[in-house]
Amino acid sequence: MKKRALLALVGTVALASCNQAPDVSGKSVTKTFTDQKLTGYNAPSGTAVFVDLTGGDRRTTLTVKGLKPNTDYLAHYHAMGAASTTDVCKSNGAVVGGMIGMTTKSNASGDLTIKGFQMTADLKDAKYINVHEASALANVPVCAPL
C-alpha cells in the first residue's frame, strides 16, 4: 500500500513538472515594428517580444495590428544585407533561424499574433525581424530592427 501511494506521488510530481514554464536565461526584449508604408495597409504597428531560454532556444511572440484582414502571413529573423547600409529593414538580408512559428492568418480586423521558437545560436547574426505576406514575400508591411 505504501508503494502505491509513493508511486502515485512520484507520478503526480512528474506530471506537474511537465507543465512548468521553461527556465529563462535572459530578460525579455521588446522591439517596436515600424510601418514599411506599403499600399493597401492602414498604418500597421505592433511589437516583437523575445526571450532566450535555458537550453538554447529563443521564444518569440509577434503582435501586429493594421494588416490586411484574413490574409496569411509569416515572419523571419534576418541578417544585415547589402541593399542598404543605413536601414536594416531595407537591407534585404538573408533569413536566419528559419520561420518564426508557422504561417498564420490575420483576423477580420487585420490583427495577428505569431509565436515560435528558434535555436539561439542560429540567430547570432540577426539584425531585424519582419512580417511578410505569405503569398507575396516581397510585401513586408512591418519590420523591427534589433
Side-chain angles (χ1 to χ4, degrees), residues 41 67-75 99 102-106 110 112 114 131-134 139 141:
Y41 287 87
L67 298 174
K68 292 178 181 176
N70 304 310
T71 301
D72 287 331
Y73 290 90
L74 54 93
M99 259 177 40
M102 299 175 62
T103 300
T104 305
K105 188 178 292 294
S106 59
L112 174 74
I114 298 175
V131 177
H132 310 262
E133 288 181 18
N139 291 343

Side-chain angles (χ1 to χ4, degrees), residues 27-35 44-51 58-64 76-77 88-89 100 126-131 142-146:
K27 66 179 184 166
S28 178
V29 176
T30 300
K31 299 294 181 177
T32 302
F33 280 117
T34 57
D35 179 358
S45 62
T47 58
V49 179
F50 57 89
V51 64
R58 175 172 289 172
R59 180 184 68 208
T60 305
T61 302
L62 310 176
T63 306
V64 186
H76 300 103
Y77 282 91
V88 294
C89 290
I100 299 170
K127 299 298 182 202
Y128 64 98
I129 299 171
N130 63 16
V131 177
V142 292
C143 178
L146 301 177

